Amino acid sequence: MDEMTEVRGLRAEAPVPDRARLAPGRARLLEAARDGERRRAQWRRREFVIVAVVAAVTAVAVTAALLVGGGSGRKVQPAATPTVSLKGVSAADLLRRAADVVAAEPDGPVPTAEQWIYTKQAQEPYDEQAQHAEGLRKLLAGPQESWIRYDGTAMAMMEPDHKGEKLTLTTRAMHLENGGEGDDRSAREMYRVLVALPAGGEQTLEALREKNAIADPKGVAQAENDYTEISVLLDADVMPSKGLASLYRALAALPGGSVTDHLVETASGRRAIAVEYHTRAPSPGTEERLRDQWLLDPQTYRVVGMRLVLGDKVVGGSSLVATAVVDRAGERG
């Protein structure tokens, strides 16, 4: 069964989601905790994506309008003691090089349906001015931890207790597969799509256009729709090496990319290559452009985060601290 096509058929009449629904789910968990709500973690598609990871409470960030209106953010920082020369390197060249490196890597064991994927992420930026009690601010200031079952039937996270004094493990049942919860996908469904991608960039673009998991909005350029499909898949919880290589080659075939000419420091304190795509105005009449930066490890070329940049400030996103496949929620590998 082609799950992506089936889900699209089930939701053929649904409106195209906007960015406020669409970024990766773990940041949404953080926002939910901050609001004192019990909300489920979701793998969301965004407006310009199959993983559309752009400005949203559902994932790596908060909606662009909120980010800009809040005036928060931290200045983009170059990494201390950079050791990689990126001057004059194009996004296409770097991504093709990255594709060759990751394609040669062996894959680890595929999780079983009952196993969980543990993720620890540093959110960026953390709002120190948030209206919370001092103790709750301290709880939420550090990296956030979450677990999701490979088959998409449950998720868990560390969130504040009712007194806001400590973080406790909260688990919630879910049903992500076969369109059980709308636009969401399980890690297993994402993996099946990734392992089936062809090796070439143009061939991968053709395959994603054929699946068209997110209906193409009218009046939007094909390259923008392609980016939406690619960016959703780049945030998959289990990433096969050859599938990632296919995504890199497809992204390299799109126009408009650039590479920051120095390593950057992520929210988790690691050094990373910032590959920038998809600039847009965060709100009508705004001159500054909001940009997506994909953060790549300079040695493995694996994605270690994604952030939103406005001018010279990081206004949203997250970066990886640790990840592991474990047997139950609460384990950390």
Side-chain angles (χ1 to χ4, degrees):
M1 174 185 291
D2 184 338
E3 292 90 356
M4 304 289 268
T5 301
E6 291 294 321
V7 171
R8 186 187 171 207
L10 288 172
R11 295 182 53 83
E13 303 302 321
V16 176
D18 60 20
R19 287 186 187 279
R21 299 179 57 217
L22 301 172
R26 289 180 292 269
R28 177 174 185 174
L29 300 180
L30 175 61
E31 293 304 315
R34 287 175 177 171
D35 292 339
E37 302 173 10
R38 294 294 188 258
R39 304 182 66 165
R40 64 188 175 86
Q42 300 186 20
W43 180 88
R44 273 291 186 206
R45 307 184 291 175
R46 35 184 201 172
E47 170 186 311
F48 293 130
V49 213
I50 247 198
V51 122
V53 188
V54 192
V57 165
T58 329
V60 166
V62 208
T63 70
L66 292 176
L67 291 171
V68 177
S72 62
R74 74 169 178 91
K75 287 212 168 188
V76 176
Q77 296 290 335
T81 64
T83 57
V84 177
S85 176
L86 298 171
K87 293 186 182 298
V89 177
S90 71
D93 286 345
L94 185 135
L95 287 167
R96 284 192 286 263
R97 180 199 313 166
D100 292 341
V101 171
V102 299
E105 295 175 356
D107 289 325
V110 178
T112 65
E114 297 80 13
Q115 286 184 303
W116 297 70
I117 300 157
Y118 163 68
T119 306
K120 184 176 184 179
Q121 292 191 105
Q123 302 299 317
E124 162 149 55
Y126 173 69
D127 186 1
E128 294 288 352
Q129 306 304 316
Q131 297 300 307
H132 296 308
E134 179 64 23
L136 185 56
R137 281 204 300 270
K138 289 180 179 179
L139 285 177
L140 296 175
Q144 304 301 305
E145 296 178 294
S146 63
W147 292 258
I148 189 163
R149 258 182 60 136
Y150 185 60
D151 63 1
T153 58
M155 56 76 51
M157 66 175 293
M158 300 298 295
E159 57 181 12
D161 63 7
H162 67 284
K163 292 183 179 180
E165 296 177 348
K166 62 180 180 179
L167 295 177
T168 59
L169 183 68
T170 301
T171 304
R172 175 165 182 158
M174 304 173 74
H175 183 68
L176 295 183
E177 294 197 337
N178 300 315
E181 299 202 24
D183 295 329
D184 298 339
R185 302 283 187 276
S186 72
R188 180 166 63 181
E189 285 176 315
M190 294 284 285
Y191 184 85
R192 289 169 178 169
V193 172
L194 288 162
V195 296
L197 291 176
E202 291 294 342
Q203 292 84 353
T204 295
L205 289 175
E206 291 175 7
L208 295 177
R209 290 167 187 167
E210 182 178 350
K211 289 182 179 299
N212 196 24
I214 292 181
D216 296 341
K218 294 181 180 179
V220 175
Q222 181 64 61
E224 196 163 16
N225 291 324
D226 291 338
Y227 175 77
T228 294
E229 303 280 340
I230 293 167
S231 60
V232 172
L233 290 167
L234 279 174
D235 198 55
D237 288 301
V238 181
M239 179 67 74
S241 297
K242 288 183 171 55
L244 179 58
S246 297
L247 294 180
Y248 282 165
R249 291 179 182 125
L251 190 57
L254 300 184
S258 63
V259 178
T260 301
D261 66 2
H262 54 77
L263 295 180
V264 302
E265 184 177 336
T266 72
S268 60
R270 69 198 301 170
R271 294 181 297 166
I273 300 169
V275 181
E276 192 167 290
Y277 271 88
H278 196 64
T279 63
R280 63 223 173 264
S283 58
T286 303
E287 292 186 5
E288 286 189 309
R289 310 295 289 178
L290 190 66
R291 294 117 58 201
D292 293 0
Q293 285 189 348
W294 293 94
L295 307 175
L296 276 56
D297 183 282
Q299 293 182 316
T300 66
Y301 291 105
R302 290 272 176 171
V303 176
V304 294
M306 183 271 180
R307 65 188 190 181
L308 305 176
V309 178
L310 185 66
D312 65 349
K313 286 189 175 182
V314 179
V315 294
S318 64
S319 60
L320 188 65
V321 176
T323 186
V325 175
V326 297
D327 292 330
R328 57 187 59 86
E331 291 185 350
R332 294 173 173 83

